[in-house]
Amino acid sequence: MNTIVVGQLQRQFQDYIVSLYQQGYLDNQFTELRKLQDEGSPDFVAEVVSLFFDDCAKVINDMSTSLERPDHVDFKQVDSGVHQLKGSSSSVGARRVKNVCIAFKECCDVQNREGCLRCLQQVDYEYKMLKTKLQDLFNLEQQILQAGGTIPQVSMN
Amino acid sequence: MEVCNCIEPQWPADELLMKYQYISDFFIAIAYFSIPLELIYFVKKSAVFPYRWVLVQFGAFIVLCGATHLINLWTFTTHSRTVALVMTTAKGLTAAVSCATALMLVHIIPDLLSVKTRELFLKNKAAELDREMGLIRTQEETGRHVRMLTHEIRSTLDRHTILKTTLVELGRTLALEECALWMPTRTGLELQLSYTLRQQHPVEYTVPIQLPVINQVFGTSRAVKISPNSPVARLRPVTGKYMLGEVVAVRVPLLHLSNFQINNWPELSTKRYALMVLMLPSDSARQWHVHELELVEVVADQVAVALSHAAILEESMRARDLLMEQNVALDLARREAETAIRARNDFLAVMNHEMRTPMHAIIALSSLLQETELTPEQRLMVETILKSSNLLATLMNDVLDLSRLEDGSLQLELGTFNLHTLFREILSLIKPIAVVKKLPITLNLAPDLPEFVVGDEKRLMQIILNIVGNAVKFSKQGSISVAALVTKSDTRAADFFVVPTGSHFYLRVKVKDSGAGINPQDIPKLFTKFAQTQSLATRSSGGSGLGLAISKRFVNLMEGNIWIESDGLGKGCTAIFDVKLGISEGSNESKQSGIPKVPAIPRHANFSGLKVLVMDENGVSRMVTKGLLVHLGCEVTTVSSNEECLRVVSQEHKVVFMDVCMPGVENYQIAIRIHEKFTKQRHQRPLLVALTGNTDKSTKEKCMSFGLDGVLLKPVSLDNMRDVLSDLLERRVLYEGM
């Protein structure tokens, strides 16, 4: 085990994850998720987030279909989709996504199609952004583990 | 006249002569016969005479001589042949005996002479022995007197008694008329009459010390005869009639030594003497005898020893009295100090309480105010009020703690707690401030860090909070990292060696910040009270400067060490401390958190095998909840719809978590249905907990009305879930898990 390399990687990891928190991509729930990862479920976080992203994709797709036709918008469906997204994103700690969902819900409540479309776009953008970021994070984790080190705990806002 | 036939003697002419011869012979014979008789008589009287045989011989010789002379009487006239024969025999015998006696006397006379010589010799010897006897007797008497005197003198350590007794005894032993003691005055220039035998109140009478007679006496250790007219001897008014008795004076050395060896008188360094003057009775014609002088000298020595002992005793008594006084004074001072400390503590406690109450009111109300609708300016003002009051509250706490720490009256309150949880809690406490300042904090707990430890949780938290708080306070940008590890040996401080024992270990916490840094010269000052480095960056921050001092004291109480390293200004700094904690036996200990919540009940920290059912339509949150419960050791079944839930639920499941986020009432129907399912076996019904995104009163009321046993706010943290499960299983109801 090359301590220097591990140390470097760990610092990199720390800085990266810290930046994610700072930029608001993640919140404390993500930390809680990471706590649930142990020997029994070593890929728990990865599984959950991948499920989340799949979920996101599906829901966004559905919502997009609903919002497509300007005269016949099933706001109930959109509402439930938003609700689901909000629930999922708060469960994984995807802060930005969640915030967008809040705004989305407001638009939905007032049945503002334009607003909803905008929010939808934003949600799409955000979740994809988060996906790439988390992918990088997991790569770093793998590198650390391969070098024989341990993943540091990080607690943030 | 008848004439016989013999030759006619010439009677008429020689008749007178014959007669005279006749008479003389007769008397000689008588004498010769009477002498032995006398001898025999006297010898018989005195039994001592050793020469009896000689006497017999002598007696015989004399008897025979007498016989001869007697027989001679008959030869004057004509006599027969027998007479002649007898005469001849007698003479022959006489001759023999007398020769023998003569020979004998040659031997005897020298003996007799030597007897005489011996007698003379013995008489001389007897006279000598008599003299010596007389001497010994006097010496013995002297010795007896001295012993008695010494005994009297030494039986007391009181100076006056010693001296008085000396004079009295001497006076009695020697039959003195007067006896006096002159002591040197303080100045040493005069001798003062201190004690006399007969006069009861000696007058204040001094003589200068340089008198020749005094010098004479002081110059020798022997008793010196002095003139009765000298000033020291003139103690009584002199009336002309008396012829004053002889006076003797002797010096008494005044020493302060307690060890004397007989032949080893130390050189009298003090050269202070007292003078003892003894006067024989006047008109007695008595003389001072040698033995009396010797007696006086011996007594003087004894008195010197006794006086020095008395002097030493006096000094030690004085010293002891002084010490006792000091003791009393010290005791008083100590009591006063204690009273002062108690008064101060009381004052602090009271003031503390008096000050805290309004403080709490301010903080509480400001917090409440914060929750309401405020304009930005108002919000800013309220925040400032809150910040200031918090600072003030901290200051009061610090001051009270520090004063207790200084008294040494602070004791650690040991208990078992979860170290990992402690760090997380600290981080969550610091989070708000760090968020505001945009400083990320990272926590790195070493893998071998024990989870359950024994120590003073509150104070440890205080230390870490203080240090992390400082790090946050003094950093404008960058990040803060907190690392906790078990340290083995080779610590930085040279005078502090860490030895982990079986049931203890040393926790090292390193807090690194990338803030303003500290000048290495200022580092020692950091831990002193009320001192703060005056760099511009820190001037704007508040704080009393007590924090580090208190932390240092706590760390010391925990048998640890704390120090700060910095590479210089602007390069950040690292605060490191080691403390000793005990290791406790893990999982069965009761978990106590630093923030008092519900009072401690026995909690299930271990839910292994607990069967639970999770119902959630949202796949992601279903998975998250399942992960949570699996992590806690439960056996989780998940369902995604009400119907499925009803189908699956059984008495094996102890808890059912149901998501009720969806608007509408349908979600709560499931609760009713489950109740119905278990009406017969009410005690086996699983506990029902709702997971919801909002926890306002209406939601709670709704849950209660539908028979749910508890409500949880999503998202649930791990610790929260753990607490909730424990509470639930203990009390079978939970409406506090918000």
Side-chain angles (χ1 to χ4, degrees):
Chain A
M1 168 160 111
N2 192 341
T3 358
I4 304 176
V5 170
V6 167
Q8 257 180 343
L9 286 173
Q10 279 177 332
R11 262 195 303 280
Q12 231 180 329
F13 177 83
Q14 256 181 332
D15 292 337
Y16 192 58
I17 202 172
V18 159
S19 72
L20 286 183
Y21 278 111
Q22 275 188 312
Q23 288 162 19
Y25 283 105
L26 297 170
D27 65 14
N28 205 22
Q29 182 58 20
F30 189 70
T31 323
E32 291 290 327
L33 268 193
R34 293 186 70 232
K35 277 194 219 172
L36 301 178
Q37 187 160 301
D38 54 20
E39 298 84 43
S41 38
D43 299 313
F44 180 69
V45 180
E47 284 171 6
V48 172
V49 298
S50 72
L51 182 62
F52 168 68
F53 292 134
D54 291 340
D55 213 35
C56 272
K58 183 169 163 306
V59 168
I60 288 174
N61 205 13
D62 289 341
M63 283 198 291
S64 149
T65 319
S66 294
L67 286 169
E68 212 170 17
R69 293 189 319 228
D71 46 340
H72 189 32
V73 179
D74 187 358
F75 279 108
K76 266 212 168 48
Q77 198 268 345
V78 174
D79 189 55
S80 91
V82 170
H83 185 91
Q84 195 169 338
L85 268 185
K86 182 156 167 261
S88 314
S89 56
S90 37
S91 297
V92 298
R95 186 160 161 266
R96 282 201 183 187
V97 176
K98 184 178 77 172
N99 290 341
V100 175
C101 285
I102 294 173
F104 202 152
K105 183 160 167 55
E106 279 174 26
C107 292
C108 200
D109 285 341
V110 300
Q111 302 203 337
N112 178 353
R113 182 174 167 265
E114 294 298 321
C116 286
L117 277 172
R118 268 203 304 277
C119 290
L120 186 69
Q121 263 187 337
Q122 216 176 343
V123 164
D124 193 50
Y125 168 79
E126 286 297 341
Y127 105 83
K128 284 188 173 137
M129 200 53 180
L130 185 62
K131 191 165 171 185
T132 26
K133 297 262 181 209
L134 284 182
Q135 196 59 54
D136 292 337
L137 194 71
F138 291 140
N139 287 342
L140 263 177
E141 269 190 7
Q142 289 303 312
Q143 283 181 355
I144 294 178
L145 287 174
Q146 273 168 6
T150 53
I151 319 269
Q153 282 246 28
V154 182
S155 158
M156 275 309 304
N157 39 325
Chain B
M1 289 245 223
E2 303 252 23
V3 164
C4 60
N5 295 331
C6 18
I7 303 165
E8 283 235 355
Q10 303 282 333
W11 273 90
D14 300 305
E15 214 171 285
L16 211 62
L17 286 172
M18 290 290 282
K19 240 196 204 155
Y20 287 137
Q21 276 192 354
Y22 193 79
I23 293 170
S24 310
D25 271 337
F26 180 65
F27 274 112
I28 289 171
I30 289 177
Y32 274 171
F33 281 132
S34 64
I35 285 175
L37 288 172
E38 284 168 7
L39 275 172
I40 288 168
Y41 174 70
F42 282 118
V43 163
K44 273 223 165 65
K45 275 285 178 191
S46 86
V48 208
F49 199 74
Y51 298 110
R52 293 237 174 139
W53 178 245
V54 173
L55 266 182
V56 166
Q57 265 182 326
F58 206 62
F61 161 68
I62 287 182
V63 162
L64 283 169
C65 274
T68 313
H69 279 287
L70 193 67
I71 294 171
N72 233 10
L73 286 176
W74 272 270
T75 55
F76 285 118
T77 52
T78 37
H79 47 279
S80 60
R81 199 176 159 84
T82 34
V83 172
L85 207 66
V86 168
M87 185 72 198
T88 317
T89 324
K91 277 203 178 154
L93 273 173
T94 311
V97 171
S98 49
C99 284
T101 311
L103 283 171
M104 198 66 59
L105 275 173
V106 170
H107 292 289
I108 287 175
I109 285 176
D111 270 352
L112 285 175
L113 280 176
S114 78
V115 162
K116 259 308 185 200
T117 324
R118 265 211 289 277
E119 189 193 317
L120 204 62
F121 177 69
L122 282 170
K123 214 188 284 187
N124 282 344
K125 261 279 182 255
E128 216 177 283
L129 279 170
D130 260 341
R131 251 175 303 157
E132 277 185 14
M133 256 283 275
L135 255 160
I136 288 172
R137 202 174 285 133
T138 33
Q139 271 180 353
E140 198 260 324
E141 208 161 287
T142 310
R144 201 161 35 83
H145 283 300
V146 169
R147 266 199 302 283
M148 189 179 52
L149 253 162
T150 312
H151 175 75
E152 289 289 333
I153 291 171
R154 303 290 212 105
S155 66
T156 168
L157 281 173
D158 174 43
R159 172 189 290 258
H160 297 288
T161 320
I162 291 173
L163 293 169
K164 256 298 189 222
T165 315
T166 311
L167 298 181
V168 163
E169 290 299 322
L170 264 180
R172 203 170 48 204
T173 310
L174 298 172
L176 298 172
E177 176 182 352
E178 181 61 86
C179 191
L181 191 70
W182 298 78
M183 300 281 275
T185 57
R186 283 214 185 279
T187 57
L189 297 174
E190 290 179 327
L191 281 181
Q192 186 180 22
L193 181 62
S194 311
Y195 303 92
T196 53
L197 181 57
R198 310 279 177 207
Q199 292 171 283
Q200 287 308 314
H201 303 284
V203 186
E204 290 276 335
Y205 185 30
T206 59
V207 295
I209 209 168
Q210 290 301 328
L211 289 178
V213 62
I214 296 177
N215 284 338
Q216 184 197 7
V217 176
F218 282 179
T220 168
S221 63
R222 308 195 59 88
V224 175
K225 291 203 185 110
I226 61 174
S227 150
N229 291 322
S230 58
V232 292
R234 233 170 324 157
L235 301 167
R236 295 202 165 178
V238 177
T239 50
K241 284 196 283 189
Y242 295 107
M243 189 188 81
L244 299 167
E246 288 197 347
V247 180
V248 145
V250 70
R251 73 176 186 187
V252 179
L254 297 173
L255 302 165
H256 289 281
L257 304 168
S258 55
N259 279 330
F260 297 94
Q261 283 182 294
I262 299 176
N263 297 324
N264 194 14
W265 278 96
E267 284 311 308
L268 301 164
S269 49
T270 62
K271 302 258 188 286
R272 268 171 55 100
Y273 302 110
L275 189 73
M276 198 151 56
V277 175
L278 307 116
M279 277 187 283
L280 288 177
S282 356
D283 280 351
S284 67
R286 243 181 74 186
Q287 299 262 320
W288 280 99
H289 298 274
V290 171
H291 70 268
E292 287 168 342
L293 292 179
E294 283 170 2
L295 177 73
V296 166
E297 283 158 23
V298 169
V299 167
D301 288 343
Q302 289 299 318
V303 167
V305 170
L307 279 179
S308 79
H309 283 185
I312 290 170
L313 181 74
E314 267 175 36
E315 262 181 46
S316 74
M317 299 280 280
R318 249 202 313 272
R320 190 192 66 151
D321 286 338
L322 200 65
L323 275 173
M324 272 177 51
E325 265 176 52
Q326 279 179 349
N327 230 12
V328 167
L330 277 172
D331 207 29
L332 190 68
R334 182 180 59 93
R335 271 203 297 275
E336 280 177 6
E338 275 179 7
T339 319
I341 289 179
R342 261 202 302 278
R344 182 198 65 174
N345 283 346
D346 289 341
F347 168 76
L348 276 177
V350 164
M351 285 311 293
N352 191 34
H353 178 258
E354 296 303 318
M355 289 197 288
R356 272 204 228 264
T357 319
M359 200 81 271
H360 282 154
I362 295 173
I363 293 177
L365 291 173
S366 311
S367 312
L368 280 177
L369 197 57
Q370 248 188 346
E371 300 293 319
T372 63
E373 295 276 343
L374 296 168
T375 69
E377 297 96 30
Q378 287 175 326
R379 189 164 288 276
L380 196 63
M381 284 190 252
V382 170
E383 276 173 4
T384 314
I385 294 173
L386 204 52
K387 219 175 11 172
S388 313
S389 12
N390 273 326
L391 276 170
L392 195 57
T394 314
L395 173 64
M396 286 191 316
N397 283 342
D398 284 356
V399 168
L400 188 66
D401 262 349
L402 195 63
S403 58
R404 274 199 296 154
L405 272 174
E406 290 188 321
D407 288 344
S409 61
L410 194 72
Q411 279 173 343
L412 294 178
E413 294 155 17
L414 298 176
T416 312
F417 59 96
N418 188 328
L419 196 59
H420 295 227
T421 316
L422 181 76
F423 278 104
R424 284 195 278 270
E425 272 169 14
I426 290 168
L427 241 60
S428 61
L429 281 172
I430 282 290
K431 256 189 293 173
I433 309 178
V435 163
V436 166
K437 292 184 97 164
K438 294 203 177 5
L439 292 166
I441 308 183
T442 60
L443 174 66
N444 195 345
L445 299 175
D448 60 347
L449 200 67
E451 201 175 344
F452 292 97
V453 299
V454 178
D456 189 334
E457 184 186 9
K458 190 162 85 115
R459 305 256 159 70
L460 183 63
M461 181 187 267
Q462 209 170 337
I463 299 170
I464 305 177
L465 264 178
N466 178 249
I467 296 183
V468 175
N470 277 349
V472 169
K473 191 158 69 166
F474 292 109
S475 303
K476 286 222 167 111
Q477 77 270 351
S479 68
I480 299 179
S481 85
V482 179
L485 45 121
V486 174
T487 184
K488 288 167 183 70
S489 62
D490 193 39
T491 62
R492 245 197 117 228
D495 59 347
F496 184 68
F497 293 101
V498 172
V499 179
T501 59
S503 61
H504 292 92
F505 75 100
Y506 282 87
L507 168 73
R508 174 173 290 187
V509 176
K510 288 195 206 184
V511 177
K512 183 166 165 44
D513 72 58
S514 54
I518 300 177
N519 203 333
Q521 293 161 350
D522 287 335
I523 289 184
K525 281 194 274 175
L526 285 170
F527 292 103
T528 49
K529 299 189 291 184
F530 304 117
Q532 273 200 315
T533 54
Q534 292 301 310
S535 62
L536 281 167
T538 64
R539 204 178 289 241
S540 55
S541 55
S544 59
L546 282 177
L548 275 177
I550 293 184
S551 299
K552 183 174 166 88
R553 287 213 172 55
F554 283 147
V555 166
N556 286 340
L557 269 178
M558 296 187 195
E559 297 178 51
N561 203 11
I562 180 170
W563 68 96
I564 293 194
E565 299 169 14
S566 172
D567 290 332
L569 286 168
K571 295 194 183 119
C573 73
T574 312
I576 309 174
F577 70 88
D578 298 333
V579 287
K580 186 176 177 187
L581 295 172
I583 304 175
S584 88
E585 301 310 308
S587 52
N588 290 336
E589 294 298 330
S590 55
K591 173 175 163 320
Q592 285 166 3
S593 128
I595 307 166
K597 282 201 284 223
V598 183
I601 352 163
R603 288 168 180 267
H604 299 265
N606 187 1
F607 305 108
S608 61
L610 184 72
K611 280 195 167 218
V612 298
L613 186 64
V614 172
M615 192 214 82
D616 194 336
E617 287 180 353
N618 187 322
V620 174
S621 62
R622 195 168 58 230
M623 192 168 177
V624 172
T625 314
K626 176 177 176 180
L628 249 180
L629 292 164
V630 163
H631 188 81
L632 288 173
C634 306
E635 219 180 277
V636 186
T637 322
T638 54
V639 291
S640 55
S641 71
N642 283 358
E643 290 74 26
E644 213 182 332
C645 179
L646 266 177
R647 252 186 300 131
V648 173
V649 78
S650 75
Q651 64 205 32
E652 287 178 344
H653 298 108
K654 298 284 178 247
V655 190
V656 176
F657 290 95
M658 51 185 68
D659 177 83
V660 295
C661 279
M662 292 300 288
V665 177
E666 305 88 52
N667 303 293
Y668 298 98
Q669 292 291 336
I670 178 76
I672 301 179
R673 304 272 277 282
I674 293 181
H675 271 281
E676 282 171 9
K677 190 167 177 184
F678 285 92
T679 34
K680 301 235 177 61
Q681 311 116 323
R682 195 136 327 164
H683 53 280
Q684 283 169 346
R685 176 182 65 83
L687 295 165
L688 303 173
V689 179
L691 296 167
T692 170
N694 57 0
T695 56
D696 52 9
K697 231 171 139 198
S698 58
T699 319
K700 261 204 241 179
E701 280 171 2
K702 221 190 262 187
C703 291
M704 276 170 71
S705 66
F706 281 103
L708 283 151
D709 300 302
V711 184
L712 266 181
L713 177 64
K714 276 205 316 193
V716 193
S717 74
L718 185 62
D719 300 324
N720 219 2
M721 180 62 90
R722 195 188 281 132
D723 285 343
V724 158
L725 269 179
S726 304
D727 269 346
L728 255 183
L729 293 169
E730 273 306 307
R731 296 194 276 163
R732 309 200 63 79
V733 77
L734 176 75
Y735 277 102
E736 283 133 1
M738 305 301 184

